Amino acid sequence: MPRRREVPRREAAPDPKFINVLMQRGKKSVAESIAYGALGLVEERSQEEPVRLFRRALDNVRPRIEVKSRRVGGATYQVPVEVTPNRGAALAMRWVVQFARARAGKSMQEKLAAELLDAAAERGEAVRKREETHRMADANKAFAHYRW
């Protein structure tokens, strides 16, 4: 928390942001080749513009509501809260990359392309994670009055 003024949030283009999420151990050129290779595979397999499909996949994975732990009087409650657009986009990118890495497949490009195609079609592990998050928030709706 700055003392003097509110620090303005810097806007980054979505492309480098996703590559930074994909990057491991500072190897940005490897992450770029994986991301662009996966988009090339997506274009081959779907006959659709890859950037449009990528955005649709992230929109399908982006959570609208999540639960946060709140401690009230010795008890910890899972309180449903709305997700800000920045956090939603970050979670969506993180989940797509996480479940692409966990897939069985030949190369990371193929695994990422398959996860993006599944997410765009509203199936796959990343979409299942979003549904699970929404289900948990719905189950704990009774504790929504603890939100602050």
Side-chain angles (χ1 to χ4, degrees), residues 101-114:
R101 283 193 182 119
R103 270 178 179 258
K106 303 226 183 309
S107 69
M108 185 58 193
Q109 288 180 358
E110 292 176 11
K111 294 192 285 189
L112 182 59

Side-chain angles (χ1 to χ4, degrees), residues 88-99:
L91 284 173
M93 287 188 266
R94 197 178 313 155
W95 289 346
V96 166
V97 170
Q98 173 189 347
F99 290 114

Side-chain angles (χ1 to χ4, degrees), residues 48-67:
E48 189 178 340
E49 187 182 338
V51 176
R52 186 173 295 138
L53 189 132
F54 175 76
R55 287 179 192 255
R56 189 170 73 230
L58 286 186
D59 283 340
N60 289 344
V61 176
R62 179 179 291 130
R64 311 287 183 250
I65 193 165
E66 67 178 342
V67 292

Side-chain angles (χ1 to χ4, degrees), residues 25-61:
R25 296 182 185 89
K27 299 194 173 191
K28 194 165 213 160
S29 60
V30 173
E32 285 174 348
S33 68
I34 290 170
Y36 294 129
L39 289 178
L41 288 173
V42 163
E43 188 173 25
E44 287 174 17
R45 294 180 186 171
S46 71
Q47 303 301 325
E48 189 178 340
E49 187 182 338
V51 176
R52 186 173 295 138
L53 189 132
F54 175 76
R55 287 179 192 255
R56 189 170 73 230
L58 286 186
D59 283 340
N60 289 344
V61 176

